[in-house]
């Protein structure tokens, strides 16, 4: 089993992440931004890495040879695959604009796998790999090198073992000894929500440390305004935080004060990449009564434009 490390490297912001150029000194890059990846490769034996959407010192990381080959492979001994983020851009040189069709630059840097093409028909994606091969910009050996990296990764994966019938499907959890600490398993029904619809929360346990779990499905992915309605008889100086986890990731924290028993609302924004979402409300302190929560689409997300 393996996870994919991301984003390699100097991925410091989400806003305009497709176009950002992180200007970093060599020392800062080595001691801060590359150090975690180095530890994961050398000590954690990582086998899959994803490059960023943006650039480091003028070169988009999907085509950054110094990063993907000289440092990652030659210095650290990485033997796995490197992939792009979805529909990433790339360039050869600092004075060259980046675009999604420059797959030749990715191959040269040993960014092995491009994620993904714009259409289901792979042949319709207009990249420059074959033209660059004919012009001698990319060599057959460089293409074979990436193919070898991908094939080697697949051959060592549990997916290949399952295909060959030699994997029993068991999973070893490292560092876990006491089975009594495991959470009980349960099944959830996904409640389909129309835009702006409420989920009833009346009567749930909001005592300190309690978590309420539910699941929703929405028609559109994107950023949602999530409005939580609650009340409390505590004094106005009391603070009762409620954290919303979306698919096990902290999404927003609603902090209520005492409301003299009046219903009040708070609205936070949370991004849903998936249409089906597993949600948890964690109550850090008791004293709050919740009524419902609503989900209203604020900004639709498109995989092509995201």
């Amino acid at each position: 089993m393996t996870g994919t490390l991301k984003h390699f490297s100097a991925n410091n912001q989400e806003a305009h992440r497709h176009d950002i150029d992180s200007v970093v000194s060599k020392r800062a890059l080595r001691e801060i931004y590359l150090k975690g990846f180095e530890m994961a490769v050398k000590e954690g034996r990582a086998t899959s890495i994803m490059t960023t959407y943006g650039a480091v010192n003028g070169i988009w990381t999907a085509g950054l040879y110094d990063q993907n080959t000289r440092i990652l492979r030659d210095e650290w001994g990485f033997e796995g695959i490197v992939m792009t983020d979805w529909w990433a851009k790339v360039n050869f040189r600092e004075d060259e604009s980046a675009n999604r069709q420059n797959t030749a630059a990715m191959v040269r840097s040993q960014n092995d796998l491009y994620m993904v093409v714009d259409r289901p028909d792979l042949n319709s994606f207009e990249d420059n790999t074959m033209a660059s091969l004919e012009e001698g910009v990319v060599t057959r050996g460089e293409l074979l090198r990436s193919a070898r990296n991908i094939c080697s990764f697949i051959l060592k994966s549990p997916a290949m073992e399952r295909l060959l019938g030699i994997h029993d499907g068991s999973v070893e959890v490292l560092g876990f000894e006491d089975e009594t600490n495991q959470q009980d398993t349960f099944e959830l029904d996904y409640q389909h929500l129309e835009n702006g619809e409420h989920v009833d929360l009346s009567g749930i346990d909001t005592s300190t440390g309690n978590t309420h779990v539910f699941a929703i499905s929405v028609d559109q992915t994107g950023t949602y305004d999530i409005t939580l309605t609650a009340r409390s008889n505590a004094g106005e100086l009391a603070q009762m935080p409620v954290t919303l986890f979306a698919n096990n990731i902290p999404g927003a924290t609603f902090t209520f004060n005492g409301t003299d028993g009046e219903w009040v609302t708070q609205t936070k924004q949370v991004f849903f990449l998936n249409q089906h979402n597993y949600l948890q409300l964690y109550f850090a302190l008791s004293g709050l009564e919740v009524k419902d929560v609503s989900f209203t689409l604020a900004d639709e997300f498109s995989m092509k434009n995201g």
Side-chain angles (χ1 to χ4, degrees):
M1 296 292 184
T2 185
T4 298
L5 305 179
K6 62 179 186 179
H7 295 86
F8 190 51
S9 62
N11 185 65
N12 292 335
Q13 69 181 58
E14 287 297 294
H16 307 291
R17 57 185 178 157
H18 292 81
D19 304 301
I20 192 68
D21 181 9
S22 298
V23 179
V24 191
S25 70
K26 291 183 179 179
R27 180 174 180 179
L29 193 62
R30 288 281 190 170
E31 295 184 0
I32 300 175
Y33 300 103
L34 293 178
K35 180 55 67 174
F37 291 98
E38 181 181 7
M39 295 168 64
V41 169
K42 291 182 176 179
E43 300 177 22
R45 300 187 299 277
T47 57
S48 178
I49 290 180
M50 179 183 289
T51 51
T52 73
Y53 275 125
V56 173
N57 296 329
I59 303 294
W60 263 249
T61 58
L64 186 50
Y65 181 86
D66 285 346
Q67 171 187 279
N68 301 334
T69 292
R70 287 177 175 165
I71 295 176
L72 177 62
R73 299 180 189 276
D74 295 347
E75 292 187 20
W76 299 349
F78 180 75
E79 295 181 348
I81 59 169
V82 178
M83 68 177 69
T84 69
D85 209 333
W86 269 235
W87 298 285
K89 297 187 294 186
V90 67
N91 61 347
F92 272 121
R93 303 178 304 275
E94 292 183 46
D95 59 352
E96 180 182 61
S97 61
N99 63 74
R100 295 175 178 175
Q101 284 69 44
N102 197 351
T103 50
M106 299 179 192
V107 172
R108 290 190 63 184
S109 77
Q110 268 192 101
N111 191 125
D112 308 300
L113 187 61
Y114 183 49
M115 305 291 293
V116 296
V117 296
D118 282 333
R119 305 175 183 87
D121 178 8
L122 301 185
N123 294 325
S124 64
F125 182 68
E126 298 178 357
D127 64 88
N128 67 349
T129 299
M130 295 307 297
S132 298
L133 179 63
E134 293 175 0
E135 296 168 2
V137 176
V138 170
T139 67
R140 183 173 180 270
E142 288 170 327
L143 289 167
L144 290 172
R145 181 179 61 181
S146 285
R148 178 201 62 195
N149 293 337
I150 295 171
C151 289
S152 177
F153 173 82
I154 294 173
L155 288 170
K156 296 175 183 177
S157 72
M160 177 58 68
E161 293 180 355
R162 287 194 294 269
L163 180 65
L164 297 175
I166 60 176
H167 191 279
D168 61 6
S170 62
V171 177
E172 178 185 2
V173 181
L174 299 178
F176 184 82
E177 298 177 356
D178 186 3
E179 293 184 358
T180 62
N181 290 330
Q182 296 188 49
Q183 294 183 352
D184 293 334
T185 59
F186 53 88
E187 294 183 358
L188 286 176
D189 291 327
Y190 282 82
Q191 178 180 346
H192 180 265
L193 297 181
E194 300 292 340
N195 191 23
E197 190 173 352
H198 292 73
V199 174
D200 183 24
L201 299 175
S202 57
I204 69 171
D205 184 1
T206 63
S207 56
T208 300
N210 189 62
T211 299
H212 177 69
V213 178
F214 60 107
I216 64 169
S217 62
V218 293
D219 290 326
Q220 301 290 338
T221 59
T223 301
Y224 277 77
D225 287 332
I226 299 181
T227 301
L228 183 64
T229 302
R231 67 181 179 183
S232 173
N233 292 317
E236 63 178 10
L237 296 181
Q239 291 185 332
M240 291 152 284
V242 182
T243 300
L244 173 69
F245 290 79
N247 304 310
N248 292 317
I249 299 174
T253 297
F254 305 82
T255 301
F256 290 89
N257 300 106
T259 69
D260 292 326
E262 299 293 328
W263 292 110
V264 297
T265 62
Q266 284 192 29
T267 299
K268 304 289 184 179
Q269 288 195 329
V270 174
F271 179 76
F272 290 152
L273 179 61
N274 305 311
Q275 290 182 281
H276 302 281
N277 299 279
Y278 167 77
L279 305 178
Q280 300 163 278
L281 286 172
Y282 173 74
F283 298 91
L285 289 175
S286 61
L288 196 66
E289 178 186 358
V290 293
K291 181 179 181 182
D292 55 40
V293 60
S294 66
F295 300 82
T296 304
L297 183 64
D299 185 16
E300 182 180 345
F301 174 74
S302 168
M303 287 298 291
K304 287 188 177 182
N305 298 323

